[in-house]
Amino acid sequence: DPVTTVLMKTPVRGQKCKHWQCFDLQSFMEVNAPVSGGRWRCVCCEQFVNYQDLEVCGLTKEALVRFADVASATRDRVEFRADQTMTLLPAPKLRYNNKRRPQSGSSTSSKQPLKNQKSPIP
C-alpha cells in the first residue's frame, strides 16, 4: 500500500483513475477520515475521488491471495505476463549501499537517489 507501506487487504482505486496502482481501502478511509465534504484525493494521482467511486481490483486481489505467504513490504511487485500468468518479482536490490554519504558542508550535490517506481502488490 503506498500509504502505509504494508500489504493491502482490500486493493482499490477510483473509477476515474487512469493508473493501475491500487491502495488499501482501510488505509484510504483512515487517512481521509478528517476530510469533510467528500473531497478526498486518490493517494496515487491526487484526483478527487469519493469513497462510493472506489472499485476493488480483482487482479490485485488475486495476486494478494496467490502470493500471501511470500509477499512482503519489500517484495511487492508482480509481473503480469501475456500468457495470463503472474510472478512475484524479487525484492529490489538496494543501490548506493556501499557509497559514502557526503559530509555536511561538503560541496558534493545533496541529491537523493530516485526511488524505483513500483506497482504495489500485496
Side-chain angles (χ1 to χ4, degrees):
D1 177 55
V3 176
T4 61
T5 66
V6 296
L7 293 178
M8 291 181 258
K9 292 182 180 143
T10 307
V12 296
R13 70 176 152 264
Q15 291 175 349
K16 295 179 184 174
C17 292
K18 298 191 181 351
H19 53 80
W20 287 92
Q21 185 174 10
C22 295
F23 46 89
D24 185 62
L25 176 61
Q26 183 66 36
S27 300
F28 179 77
M29 299 298 279
E30 289 172 5
V31 166
N32 285 294
V35 179
S36 63
R39 304 280 299 170
W40 298 359
R41 289 189 177 267
C42 171
V43 298
C44 300
C45 67
E46 293 292 316
Q47 182 167 306
F48 286 111
V49 62
N50 189 299
Y51 74 92
Q52 296 168 329
D53 295 331
L54 295 174
E55 297 179 325
V56 174
C57 177
L59 191 59
T60 303
K61 185 108 174 141
E62 181 182 336
L64 277 168
V65 171
R66 184 174 296 179
F67 301 116
D69 57 337
V70 290
S72 68
T74 57
R75 189 170 182 207
D76 63 349
R77 295 178 303 145
V78 172
E79 179 179 82
F80 298 99
R81 297 186 176 148
D83 65 358
Q84 297 184 355
T85 61
M86 59 177 79
T87 303
L88 184 65
L89 298 174
K93 293 181 181 180
L94 294 177
R95 295 175 61 191
Y96 309 104
N97 240 4
N98 298 325
K99 303 271 182 179
R100 292 178 59 187
R101 295 181 184 213
Q103 297 177 6
S104 42
S106 170
S107 62
T108 307
S109 171
S110 62
K111 290 183 181 177
Q112 296 292 320
L114 295 174
K115 292 182 180 178
N116 291 338
Q117 281 187 322
K118 52 185 176 178
S119 297
I121 242 329

